């Protein structure tokens, strides 16, 4: 189900930063765990990171750990993805997703999320 809208993507140079936002559309996600995924051309969608419903726990893919930070502000948007020190290999369509079953913990798999956005393109040049 598509009830999330991502924004903030663009074309940047290696080493630059971007902040992606994930907005809710027609539903409140304040009690949902939120995840970020990315998909490059010709590749499967891969997990980037996730944040618990109350913001108390975050979990990141090793390749982005220390560079990316997930946060949330439910009064404005369900989740944000701050990306620093971007590399060309970070280029992909980034999507946010919502898990309505927060009691089961943070999930890395696509199957663990019920609600998705269409994604925003991030392109990092050398």
């Amino acid at each position: 189900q598509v009830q999330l809208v991502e924004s903030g993507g663009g074309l940047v140079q290696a080493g630059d930063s971007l902040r992606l936002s994930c907005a809710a559309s027609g539903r409140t996600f304040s009690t949902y765990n939120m995840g970020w995924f990315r998909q490059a051309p010709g590749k499967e969608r891969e997990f980037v990171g996730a944040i618990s419903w109350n913001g108390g726990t975050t979990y990141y893919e090793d390749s982005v750990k220390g560079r990316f930070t997930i946060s949330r502000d439910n009064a404005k948007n369900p989740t944000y993805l701050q990306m620093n020190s971007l590399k060309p290999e970070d280029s992909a369509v980034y999507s946010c997703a919502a898990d309505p079953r927060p009691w089961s913990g943070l999930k890395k798999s696509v199957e663990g999320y019920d609600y998705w956005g269409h994604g925003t393109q991030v392109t990092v040049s050398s």
Side-chain angles (χ1 to χ4, degrees):
Q1 300 182 50
V2 180
Q3 293 184 264
L4 298 165
V5 181
E6 303 90 345
S7 62
L11 174 63
V12 298
Q13 298 286 326
D16 285 352
S17 298
L18 280 174
R19 190 188 191 214
L20 306 184
S21 297
C22 175
S25 178
R27 182 180 289 267
T28 299
F29 295 94
S30 60
T31 59
Y32 289 37
N33 291 344
M34 303 297 298
W36 284 94
F37 293 79
R38 65 186 182 185
Q39 186 170 27
K43 295 185 177 181
E44 294 185 357
R45 185 174 295 177
E46 68 173 348
F47 175 76
V48 175
I51 187 168
S52 61
W53 69 275
N54 61 1
T57 304
T58 53
Y59 179 58
Y60 300 95
E61 162 68 26
D62 286 343
S63 65
V64 307
K65 194 174 299 182
R67 299 188 298 121
F68 291 11
T69 302
I70 298 173
S71 62
R72 67 188 303 156
D73 182 355
N74 292 326
K76 298 179 179 179
N77 288 302
T79 184
Y80 300 88
L81 178 64
Q82 177 67 47
M83 304 184 293
N84 298 326
S85 301
L86 283 163
K87 305 174 181 179
E89 51 263 44
D90 293 319
S91 296
V93 174
Y94 284 72
S95 300
C96 62
D99 172 16
R101 299 167 291 276
W103 55 85
S104 62
L106 301 182
K107 302 178 179 66
K108 297 178 61 177
S109 65
V110 170
E111 292 77 12
Y113 298 84
D114 287 3
Y115 304 94
W116 294 83
H118 288 298
T120 184
Q121 178 70 52
V122 172
T123 303
V124 185
S125 65
S126 300

